[in-house]
Amino acid sequence: MIHLTEAERQCVADGTVAADETGAVGAHLAVCTECAADVERLRRLIHRMRAEPMPNAEVEAMWPAIRQRIERGKVRTLPSPAPRARRRWRTVWIGAGAVAAVACLTVLLRVRPHEPPGSAPRAGSFVPNGGALSPAGDSAGASQAEIQRMLDEIELEKAMLPPSTAAVADSDLRAIDQAIADLKDAIARDPNNPALRQMLAESYRQQQDLLKRLHNAS
Amino acid sequence: MTGDSLAPPRLAANTTDSAVEDAVRRAQAGDVDAFGMVYRVHAPAIHALCRRMLGNDEDAREMVQDVFVRAWEKLASFRGESALRTWLHRLGVNLILERLRATRRDALRFADDPGDLPAAGGTLDRRLDAEIDLAAALDRLPNGSRMVLVLHDIEGYSHEEIAAMTGIAPGTSRAQLWRARRHLSRMLDA
């Protein structure tokens, strides 16, 4: 007698025997106790595996750790915007200061009585000279030199400023430039007004300070 | 149910499929409590899969966590074309295979010759009871053989599906299954 092959026994046991082999295999099993016993052993094993209760597990005890991992995964670390925001607010405040200076200047020009055109400049004041500021005395000369030094530094700071940083502070710089231009116009009309010159110097300092801060920040 | 509770939210005793489906939908929308209900329903089966395939309880518990955390992350991609159980099982099998490949050099070692398989007797013979624990016998099989046996005979995957998941040929899967059954049978009859 030729017994069933291993493949045939296994396939009969798990029910995957080909349809065209079912008849011949069944006929053999009906007469061969050895093959029938072997197939039956395999069937019991497969049945036992499928009927095996699931391993006991306290799955509820695992949930807190899973939940914790899920909640942790929800938190996404975003780059902190704090430093940029601080720099931005600083430039905004400086710009606002420049705008306020322009407003003060306007008020000052309206309320202050003009001196007669022929009166001599006071010490420590500047007179316009072809659009530039000229010293009217020794102390005025020192002030003019100080302003020129600041202008040189401002140009240098502007040149060294990265384009991206300059773009961020562009509106603030333009506000200060506008304030400076207005002050120059005011000084041209009222060359003996020391308050205007003081404000102009202050505007230059503000601009210089802003540029330095931007430069340091970048 | 609050988020601080240590136990996963319970579904009512007469839980219906639609209640689970509703929990899945809410979980997909980001409701962790609803996902806890889904977990309660499916965790025992996933744990059983992990326990049988990995062969020890500590690894199985870790893997259950990984499976459900991954399931949470991918839940939005579950469209409901297959049953959630099938989807979770496939996810679990993939993660288990991934873990075994990454952490064990012999992860997918199959029993190519009789020497690779444990002999009947030995440690198991020394058990107090004559009745040999099926789980303990399964644990003694080489990883690859145990996986094919678990996937085919317990989880119901076809050889073609096993081949696709593990990268072996369907014929190899069959041969490993038959060999593993024989050795398991001998161990249990010992």
Side-chain angles (χ1 to χ4, degrees), chain A residues 105-126:
Chain A
L105 168 66
T106 309
V107 172
L108 192 66
L109 289 174
R110 285 184 180 168
V111 298
R112 189 182 180 284
H114 286 254
E115 290 182 17
S119 60
R122 285 169 296 195
S125 64
F126 302 99

Side-chain angles (χ1 to χ4, degrees), chain A residues 6-7 10 14 38 41 45 48-50 52-55 57 59-60 62-67 69-70 74, chain B residues 3 6 8 10 32-33 36 39-40 44-45 47-48 52 65-66 72 131-132 153 178 181-182 185 188-189:
Chain A
E6 175 69 5
Q10 295 275 356
D14 65 17
D38 190 39
R41 190 181 304 116
L45 174 68
R48 182 174 170 182
M49 280 192 286
R50 289 178 181 165
E52 175 84 351
M54 284 192 282
V59 293
E60 289 186 18
M62 289 182 249
W63 173 247
I66 294 170
R67 177 168 194 130
R69 284 176 63 182
I70 288 171
K74 284 180 172 180
Chain B
L6 291 180
R10 286 184 181 282
V32 183
D33 282 338
Y39 169 83
R40 179 181 285 276
H47 174 263
R52 285 167 176 153
Q65 284 194 28
D66 290 349
W72 167 263
E131 177 78 14
I132 294 177
D153 281 356
W178 298 340
R181 279 179 187 162
R182 287 289 176 201
S185 176
L188 293 170
D189 290 343

